[in-house]
Amino acid sequence: MPDALPRDFYARPTLTVARALLGTVLCHRRGGDVLRARIVEVEAYIGERDGACHARAGRTGRTAVMYGPPGHAYVYLVYGMHEMLNVVTETEGRPAAVLVRGAERLAGGALPGPGRLTRALGIDRALDAADLCGQRLWIEAGGLARGERIARSPRIGIDYAGAPWVDKPWRLFVEGSAGGSRAPRATGTRPRG
DNA sequence: TATTTGATTCTT
DNA sequence: AGAATCAAATAT
């Protein structure tokens, strides 16, 4: 049984961590069971200057965990109904995180989309600030299968972010995976005025 | 204190 | 194209 990824894994540049997370296994202990899913889609949110990052408004009650040490969960509610799971990266004092957007159950089913993913694994705000080097929620090493390729695109649902952030290709995913979100317009198919 | 807005998903 | 649904940010 693989161990949880160490804190050093998360204490790296956010895009490096985002890429390294593809193929790893997200684990959540619920009761006597451990629910697992292989991560296949992520997005990077990097610092207060990133117009799409929640830390753009500075440190608040919600974003405090992003300012803390790496290797912790940042879980919040969006649109009044969906729990989003993020992994805090870089170093204490530098707010940045990776949003986990899509995964595949090891037992076969796809979990496309960040809201469906958290719902399927029973992840909610009770896990906000949870230590990923702890016993409740963690990530195990994994990798890409032979032939699997990483693709990238602009991030989804952040049209409010101004240039240049809205166009940063900080969404990374395993090409062709069923666990990828059915996010509209994979790459620049939508003309923007 | 009131209004607006989302790191989404599902139905019409 | 729009509803569902609410916490946080912004405006008043």
Side-chain angles (χ1 to χ4, degrees), chain A residues 144-157:
Chain A
L144 301 181
R146 286 215 332 219
E148 281 187 320
R149 298 299 164 88
I150 294 175
R152 50 198 300 171
S153 84
R155 293 170 290 181
I156 304 302

Side-chain angles (χ1 to χ4, degrees), chain A residues 42-72:
Chain A
V42 297
E43 279 177 2
Y45 290 86
I46 313 175
E48 295 179 340
R49 303 176 60 122
D50 178 359
C53 182
H54 286 173
R56 66 186 179 278
R59 183 178 185 138
T60 67
R62 183 175 62 162
T63 63
V65 64
M66 275 204 288
Y67 287 77
H72 290 253

Side-chain angles (χ1 to χ4, degrees), chain A residues 7 14 20 24 28 35 60 65 78 86 88 110 137 144 150 154 171:
Chain A
R7 199 168 311 282
T14 304
T24 61
H28 180 208
L35 306 177
T60 67
V65 64
V78 73
N86 299 250
V88 176
L137 186 67
L144 301 181
I150 294 175
R171 168 175 175 245

Side-chain angles (χ1 to χ4, degrees), chain A residues 4-193:
Chain A
L5 293 171
R7 199 168 311 282
D8 284 352
F9 177 92
Y10 305 99
R12 293 184 288 170
T14 304
L15 286 170
T16 301
V17 177
R19 182 183 195 63
L21 279 172
L22 294 176
T24 61
V25 181
L26 174 64
C27 308
H28 180 208
R29 188 187 305 279
R30 279 195 94 191
D33 292 328
V34 177
L35 306 177
R36 294 172 203 268
R38 180 171 178 263
I39 296 172
V40 296
E41 182 184 354
V42 297
E43 279 177 2
Y45 290 86
I46 313 175
E48 295 179 340
R49 303 176 60 122
D50 178 359
C53 182
H54 286 173
R56 66 186 179 278
R59 183 178 185 138
T60 67
R62 183 175 62 162
T63 63
V65 64
M66 275 204 288
Y67 287 77
H72 290 253
Y74 166 42
V75 186
Y76 67 92
L77 182 72
V78 73
Y79 296 121
M81 51 179 66
H82 296 295
E83 314 275 349
M84 299 286 110
L85 170 66
N86 299 250
V87 167
V88 176
T89 60
E90 306 206 17
T91 61
E92 188 160 2
R94 282 185 58 93
V98 175
L99 169 67
V100 182
R101 282 192 63 90
E104 300 169 334
R105 275 197 196 281
L106 300 189
L111 302 175
R116 291 171 145 190
L117 163 62
T118 52
R119 188 164 50 113
L121 291 190
I123 293 167
D124 62 20
R125 283 162 291 167
L127 287 165
D128 186 39
D131 188 352
L132 295 175
C133 302
Q135 302 298 311
R136 290 190 294 164
L137 186 67
W138 68 94
I139 299 175
E140 295 172 354
L144 301 181
R146 286 215 332 219
E148 281 187 320
R149 298 299 164 88
I150 294 175
R152 50 198 300 171
S153 84
R155 293 170 290 181
I156 304 302
I158 52 119
D159 284 355
Y160 58 86
W165 311 107
V166 70
D167 292 320
K168 295 281 187 190
W170 289 353
R171 168 175 175 245
L172 307 181
F173 56 100
V174 177
E175 202 160 32
S177 167
S181 70
R182 289 196 280 138
R185 43 199 174 281
T187 11
T189 54
R190 186 179 69 107
R192 211 164 8 128

